[in-house]
Amino acid sequence: MSLQKSQAEGMLPFGATLTERGIGFRVWAPHADAVSVVGSFNGWDDQAHRLDRHDDGTWSGTVRGAKVGDGYLFALRNEAVSDDVLRRPDPYARQMVNSASHSVVYDPAAFDWEGDSAHCPPWNDLVIYELHVGTFAGFKDGRPGDLHAAARRLGYLRDLGVNAVEVMPLAEFGGDVSWGYNPAAPFAVESSYGGPDAFKAFVKEAHRHGIAVILDVVYNHFGPSDLGLWQFDGWSEHGQGGIYFYNDHRRKTPWGDTRPDYGRPEVQQFLLDNAAMWLEEYHVDGLRVDMTPYVYTVDGGGDRIEAGWQFLQRLTTLVRERFPGRIAIAEDLHTNHAITQPVEQGGAGFGSQWDAQFVHPIRGALITPDDGARDLGRVAAALQHRYGSDAFARVVYTESHDEVANGKARIAEEIFPGRADSWASKKRATLGAALALTAPGIPMLFQGQALLDDGYFQDTVPLDWKKAKRHDGLVQLHRDLIALRRDFDGTATGLKSQHLDLIHVDHHAKLLAYQRRDAGGPNDSVFVVVNLSHRAHYVYPLRLPHDAHWHLRFNSDGRGYDRAFGGHPAYDLHGHRARVSIGPYTVLVYTCGTAPRRDAPRRRVLGVLWHLLKRGVQRLLAGAPR
């Protein structure tokens, strides 16, 4: 029975609730013979406050002496299983001492939001930054940081230009250090991160900076460690998980035999109430649902779980109808178009999904050491791929927590292991960021990407914030790209549009060009030229999308971004055909501008000649005897 329905019928909500008569408690335990609540308010005496049984398998009661901040557990008896009393944390607990301890009575309405509300920007304006609280915040005394420390870093993200953070899971997990994909108490915020008020303060501060918060949630499995839901009321089949889990072959996941039983209405509602809690009580602006294939299939492939698909449909319907404007993102990675199809058409109804058809081909092209092996056909297909008619039904990226761990590393590290600060690493890693930020879709960066973080992601290694100063030029490069992507000055509308027109693909020179446009006129067009070769071009002929003046807005080879970059000259273009000058492993971005100066062609030729002369002198000096 849902939280809303139980309240409408005059029943207590699940969990611990403040009432005029004290703290009300309600729990689902259909196989229990008796249930009581024990806590600091009654000396943990399982005879002091017994709960009443209801026909729906729930138990409830009110304790007058209990108050906010008290610790508590449910004490359950199942005589068919054992004479022992089973002490379990509250499945709906909003706060835990830790994953292996007891629940804490919490008042969700006590936090002062000071008028804050959800803040999700239009999806075509979203630029997402994925972060892990403990490592993003930085360590203190050798321990991962908390949500308060993470909130103090939000100014950096605001200045970078991102307007959404995707926070890796922070439901209470086993231990104090984790990626978060092992939720033990799904309704509680991890105690080592600061608990529920700390997360609310983080969301409020993010919104103050103009940054939306998208929360990563895990509904394909629980735990498997410190799992109070396991055999909650004593009942199970085949020694498996009991009422909250499948007890047959459907229990198996790559992370343990703990898949929720979506076929039970009470379990589905438990998960839906969890999603609604984050959106309502915590003001989050969206949910990113972890590994959806393991919700609607047993093995991530063909063994279908229809109840899991129906749960995803109910989840996205809840987001769309009760929280309009918020976003639901799926991590599916199976190029499943049905994930983002409307529920009315049999789809799962997600607003967007992580796109494997972008990240894998683009990463492959970036880390391949041999220019000749770079497959421009796959790069072009990755840029053009979409789900249905909406370009923003996909999230595009080159780094995520999955792509920089589990046997893989940061792109800069993959290109030159041990030398992520090499010229090739910097050039091709930033080229990847430029592709993601100029492609159709919702672009996403992973924490540290703009800092040229090296190695691979580990939850025991904090982000090295000193690199923000060491690589301040690369941070500026990302800032400039994001400003273009979000069209801060009103000249790059095409980058926020649905359309991409592939203009040019040269497999031999490894050069491609594309137009991003809205209605198609010159005033909303953006022209992007990409060189995926180590060879520069000075007079490369290209057909332009319009007979107009094209103003150079971005050159990733600029010396201001990094001293190792060549500063290869690039110029405005004019007419329907032009000769482009572009550096190695470089992206150029043009927008339609005002008419050029009359001497622009002559100045462009003189500039190229001067650059060639300067390079020749530098090479002579480099080869001269010392």
Side-chain angles (χ1 to χ4, degrees):
M1 185 177 294
S2 73
L3 189 63
Q4 292 71 36
K5 185 176 179 182
S6 66
Q7 289 172 315
E9 294 178 354
M11 296 182 68
L12 286 166
F14 285 107
T17 308
L18 278 70
T19 73
E20 293 180 355
R21 295 180 297 136
I23 303 298
F25 296 91
R26 183 162 175 248
V27 65
W28 176 54
H31 299 280
D33 296 304
V35 178
S36 61
V37 61
V38 301
S40 54
F41 43 80
N42 63 12
W44 304 92
D45 179 3
D46 57 34
Q47 300 298 315
H49 292 101
R50 295 190 177 188
L51 303 182
D52 297 326
R53 183 182 183 113
H54 306 287
D55 292 340
D56 60 358
T58 66
W59 303 73
S60 68
T62 301
V63 178
R64 290 184 178 276
K67 62 185 183 303
V68 172
D70 282 343
Y72 71 100
L73 293 167
F74 289 114
L76 304 95
R77 290 184 179 277
N78 185 329
E79 296 174 359
V81 175
S82 172
D83 293 333
D84 295 334
V85 175
L86 305 173
R87 293 199 171 191
R88 302 285 194 250
D90 181 2
Y92 276 82
R94 300 305 203 265
Q95 187 174 357
M96 297 284 293
V97 172
N98 58 58
S99 60
S101 187
H102 56 260
S103 309
V104 177
V105 177
Y106 175 75
D107 180 6
F111 184 81
D112 185 2
W113 284 100
E114 298 182 302
D116 175 84
S117 59
H119 182 81
C120 193
W123 297 358
N124 70 338
D125 189 42
L126 276 174
V127 176
I128 298 173
Y129 184 98
E130 186 190 13
L131 66 84
H132 172 264
V133 169
T135 55
F136 175 80
F139 281 23
K140 184 177 181 180
D141 300 325
R143 295 178 60 82
D146 60 17
L147 283 153
H148 295 297
R152 291 193 289 271
R153 302 282 189 188
L154 289 170
Y156 160 80
L157 299 183
R158 174 203 60 212
D159 294 344
L160 189 63
V162 300
N163 59 355
V165 290
E166 182 180 301
V167 181
M168 289 171 65
L170 45 70
E172 186 74 44
F173 48 70
D176 292 335
V177 180
S178 170
W179 288 22
Y181 296 97
N182 55 331
F187 281 76
V189 174
E190 169 59 33
S191 51
S192 67
Y193 287 165
D197 281 356
F199 184 41
K200 290 178 179 179
F202 176 89
V203 174
K204 183 170 138 181
E205 184 69 4
H207 288 172
R208 190 177 72 82
H209 285 296
I211 298 171
V213 178
I214 300 167
L215 180 64
D216 201 337
V217 290
V218 183
Y219 296 144
N220 51 53
H221 76 288
F222 293 135
S225 64
D226 295 359
L227 196 53
L229 296 174
W230 186 260
Q231 297 182 359
F232 183 76
D233 63 1
W235 174 87
S236 69
E237 289 182 336
H238 314 298
Q240 296 306 311
I243 58 174
Y244 280 95
F245 305 93
Y246 284 112
N247 288 254
D248 55 20
H249 74 285
R250 292 171 292 183
R251 70 186 186 274
K252 291 185 176 296
T253 78
W255 310 279
D257 293 352
T258 57
R259 178 180 283 113
D261 185 348
Y262 312 110
R264 286 181 181 261
E266 298 87 351
V267 176
Q268 265 205 35
Q269 196 60 55
F270 177 73
L271 300 175
L272 293 171
D273 286 346
N274 182 264
M277 177 197 71
W278 298 119
L279 293 161
E280 185 169 358
E281 294 180 18
Y282 288 87
H283 294 199
V284 302
D285 305 280
L287 301 174
R288 180 267 194 188
V289 182
D290 180 63
M291 264 294 130
T292 52
Y294 290 94
V295 173
Y296 61 87
T297 72
V298 174
D299 53 4
D303 193 353
R304 189 85 171 179
I305 303 176
E306 287 301 329
W309 187 259
Q310 293 163 8
F311 159 68
L312 293 177
Q313 291 178 317
R314 291 188 66 192
L315 172 65
T316 60
T317 299
L318 180 149
V319 174
R320 184 175 63 255
E321 293 183 352
R322 283 188 54 193
F323 305 96
R326 321 275 184 107
I327 191 167
I329 300 172
E331 182 200 23
D332 198 84
L333 300 179
H334 281 65
T335 318
N336 186 350
H337 289 256
I339 287 292
T340 44
Q341 284 180 337
V343 171
E344 297 76 17
Q345 298 176 17
F350 282 91
S352 193
Q353 61 175 308
W354 282 18
D355 189 16
Q357 293 300 312
F358 185 90
V359 60
H360 296 152
I362 298 298
R363 277 183 68 95
L366 296 174
I367 66 178
T368 297
D370 179 14
D371 283 352
R374 297 188 211 288
D375 189 339
L376 256 65
R378 295 193 71 204
V379 172
L383 291 167
Q384 294 175 300
H385 185 255
R386 66 171 56 206
Y387 297 94
S389 60
D390 186 3
F392 301 98
R394 67 172 186 162
V395 176
V396 293
Y397 57 97
T398 59
E399 293 192 359
S400 73
H401 68 272
D402 284 328
E403 297 299 332
V404 300
N406 297 320
K408 294 176 284 188
R410 301 275 189 168
I411 285 179
E413 185 77 19
E414 294 272 9
I415 291 168
F416 199 152
R419 284 290 310 280
D421 62 348
S422 67
W423 175 85
S425 292
K426 293 174 183 177
K427 289 293 294 179
R428 301 212 299 263
T430 53
L431 191 154
L435 287 170
L437 285 160
T438 59
I442 299 173
M444 182 179 74
L445 302 174
F446 185 60
Q447 66 175 40
Q449 187 171 345
L451 311 180
L452 200 73
D453 203 23
D454 55 8
Y456 60 95
F457 170 67
Q458 303 175 72
D459 54 19
T460 54
V461 178
L463 198 58
D464 186 356
W465 283 99
K466 294 178 182 178
K467 291 180 179 176
K469 184 174 182 180
R470 190 183 317 158
H471 298 304
D472 58 345
L474 297 181
V475 173
Q476 184 62 48
L477 180 149
H478 286 81
R479 187 180 294 124
D480 290 347
L481 276 170
I482 292 169
L484 278 171
R485 172 61 181 76
R486 294 187 59 200
D487 192 25
F488 283 167
D489 65 3
T491 64
T493 309
L495 291 178
K496 298 172 68 171
S497 72
Q498 293 279 348
H499 307 294
L500 180 145
D501 301 318
L502 198 60
I503 303 296
H504 185 85
V505 179
D506 185 336
H507 294 279
H508 176 71
K510 302 301 176 185
L511 188 141
L512 59 83
Y514 50 93
Q515 176 187 212
R516 297 295 315 284
R517 62 176 174 82
D518 189 8
N523 294 328
D524 64 35
S525 293
V526 177
F527 186 51
V528 183
V529 185
V530 184
N531 182 6
L532 286 110
S533 166
H534 74 285
R535 296 183 181 277
H537 300 278
Y538 291 91
V539 287
Y540 190 96
L542 272 179
R543 177 176 62 86
L544 305 180
H546 303 284
D547 185 4
H549 178 67
W550 293 89
H551 177 53
L552 178 67
R553 301 296 307 285
F554 175 80
N555 176 5
S556 67
D557 197 47
R559 287 293 300 274
Y561 294 140
D562 194 276
R563 291 180 180 178
F565 291 2
H568 186 95
Y571 306 98
D572 290 3
L573 307 175
H574 184 66
H576 209 288
R577 293 186 178 274
R579 296 187 181 275
V580 172
S581 178
I582 185 171
Y585 301 133
T586 294
V587 173
L588 305 177
V589 180
Y590 297 88
T591 61
C592 284
T594 57
R597 292 175 52 168
R598 291 185 177 182
D599 63 347
R602 181 171 60 87
R603 289 166 57 83
R604 182 161 58 246
V605 171
L606 290 174
V608 170
L609 290 174
W610 168 247
H611 183 78
L612 290 172
L613 178 62
K614 183 173 69 172
R615 289 291 298 273
V617 170
Q618 289 172 341
R619 288 174 179 172
L620 284 173
L621 291 175
R626 297 181 183 278

